[in-house]
Amino acid sequence: MELRQFLVCLSLCTALALSKPTEKKDRVHHEPQLSDKVHNDAQSFDYDHDAFLGAEEAKTFDQLTPEESKERLGKIVSKIDGDKDGFVTVDELKDWIKFAQKRWIYEDVERQWKGHDLNEDGLVSWEEYKNATYGYALDDPDPDDGFNYKQMMVRDERRFKMADKDGDLIATKEEFTAFLHPEEYDYMKDIVVQETMEDIDKNSDGFIDLEEYIGDMYSHDGNADEPDWVKTEREQFVEFRDKNRDGKMDKEETKDWILPSDYDHAEAEARHLVYESDQNKYLP
């Protein structure tokens, strides 16, 4: 699809979009929805607008004129065209949509990076992270807030070593991102599962039984009657979570629960946008 055609379609989408009981703890890491708007192009392009720009960035376009929007979109499209061949492919657009939706992650990493790269060499070592995060706490063996900082540090060190692919205990920005947001990286998923099981497995038998599963989500606090959603979760555990019916979840069952294989919303939206913009309807 030619860049000019794609830009015209995006400009149209933007212009039309601008004219217009007890809380449950959720351990499941889903791919985020691209927008909370209804995806119906016959009514509006609000969904496509949010998906392409990210919901927060899309709000900034509310203040722009159509001409300013088109100019800014042109700059964005140039970034999407990674190989600079004058065309936007489905894969290039999918990568951009994923970036736009997870921009907050990169902003969080940038913010934390500045506070942990103490010698400003463009890298963050474990020693730098440990000193910046735990230095003050380790000097107090009995902190008033009740946190076990040494235990937290051991857990962080384990995760840092997992994120550090070359094992030198010095993180690049990509490795530091994997450390801070391990659920976003395939090679970090085992540590996400391990940490989750450690949090929930109160009897330390290496499994999550039904009461541990419910106890992580809901505290009775003296109430005899459970909310309906708790009863539903009990049924979910028995019927779907505990696949081998042994009364507990092992590592693989826990992984299937907290890291499900989701529908790829970004790829579906990329294909939709390319199809609607591509005059000869060719999808690479």
Side-chain angles (χ1 to χ4, degrees):
M1 179 181 56
E2 191 178 354
L3 281 176
R4 182 177 56 81
Q5 297 167 353
F6 184 61
L7 181 56
V8 169
C9 179
L10 285 176
S11 298
L12 177 62
C13 290
T14 302
L16 291 177
L18 297 181
S19 63
K20 300 183 61 145
T22 301
E23 186 176 347
K24 173 184 174 182
K25 180 190 294 184
D26 191 1
R27 291 270 185 184
V28 182
H29 298 281
H30 289 293
E31 281 292 312
Q33 293 290 326
L34 302 185
S35 173
D36 58 4
K37 311 291 196 317
V38 175
H39 196 184
N40 185 346
D41 289 352
Q43 295 181 2
S44 77
F45 291 104
D46 288 351
Y47 182 98
D48 298 320
H49 185 60
D50 284 359
F52 180 76
L53 296 170
E56 290 304 313
E57 181 68 14
K59 293 176 183 177
T60 67
F61 275 68
D62 294 348
Q63 313 302 321
L64 303 179
T65 66
E67 292 75 18
E68 290 171 332
S69 296
K70 186 175 181 179
E71 181 181 357
R72 186 178 293 188
L73 285 170
K75 294 177 181 178
I76 292 174
V77 171
S78 296
K79 295 179 181 178
I80 298 172
D81 180 23
D83 56 12
K84 306 303 179 186
D85 65 350
F87 295 86
V88 171
T89 66
V90 169
D91 284 342
E92 287 173 334
L93 186 52
K94 180 181 73 173
D95 289 344
W96 169 261
I97 291 173
K98 285 182 177 291
F99 170 80
Q101 296 300 318
K102 295 178 180 179
R103 187 180 278 112
W104 69 272
I105 290 177
Y106 304 113
E107 291 173 351
D108 174 57
V109 171
E110 286 296 332
R111 178 179 56 80
Q112 297 213 43
W113 184 265
K114 293 175 182 177
H116 291 95
D117 181 14
L118 302 181
N119 62 6
E120 299 183 348
D121 64 347
L123 300 166
V124 172
S125 69
W126 167 247
E127 286 300 315
E128 284 180 310
Y129 181 83
K130 181 180 70 173
N131 290 335
T133 305
Y134 295 106
Y136 71 95
L138 295 178
D139 293 334
D140 184 358
D142 188 24
D144 294 334
D145 56 18
F147 284 109
N148 187 333
Y149 288 104
K150 289 187 178 180
Q151 187 175 9
M152 292 167 63
M153 187 181 70
V154 169
R155 179 161 158 155
D156 271 356
E157 183 176 11
R158 182 182 62 189
R159 188 197 286 190
F160 192 97
K161 288 179 177 178
M162 180 72 75
D164 176 29
K165 284 186 171 183
D166 58 11
D168 62 357
L169 287 180
I170 300 174
T172 63
K173 188 164 290 186
E174 186 71 12
E175 290 171 335
F176 193 62
T177 304
F179 167 69
L180 294 177
H181 300 277
E183 69 283 352
E184 301 295 331
Y185 292 80
D186 285 340
Y187 80 99
M188 295 292 291
K189 288 185 177 179
D190 283 347
I191 201 72
V192 175
V193 174
Q194 183 176 357
E195 290 178 359
T196 301
M197 294 191 75
E198 289 173 350
D199 289 343
I200 303 175
D201 177 23
K202 300 305 181 185
N203 62 9
S204 301
D205 67 349
F207 299 92
I208 298 174
D209 61 36
L210 176 57
E211 294 310 314
E212 289 170 334
Y213 174 78
I214 295 298
D216 182 61
M217 302 179 182
Y218 172 72
S219 176
H220 285 273
D221 288 332
N223 297 325
D225 296 329
E226 292 180 338
D228 288 341
W229 69 261
V230 176
K231 298 174 183 177
T232 299
E233 283 296 338
R234 288 185 180 278
E235 295 170 0
Q236 290 282 321
F237 183 94
V238 173
E239 296 177 16
F240 301 106
R241 310 281 186 240
D242 178 21
K243 291 180 169 55
N244 61 8
R245 300 293 191 271
D246 65 351
K248 54 195 176 185
M249 288 195 297
D250 58 25
K251 180 179 178 180
E252 287 304 312
E253 289 168 331
T254 302
K255 185 176 182 178
D256 289 343
W257 165 43
I258 65 172
L259 297 169
S261 299
D262 283 334
Y263 173 73
D264 195 332
H265 295 279
E267 180 172 2
E269 178 64 10
R271 288 188 172 277
H272 166 69
L273 285 176
V274 170
Y275 181 82
E276 293 297 330
S277 308
D278 187 10
Q279 292 180 353
N280 61 16
K281 301 305 180 190
Y282 171 70
L283 282 176

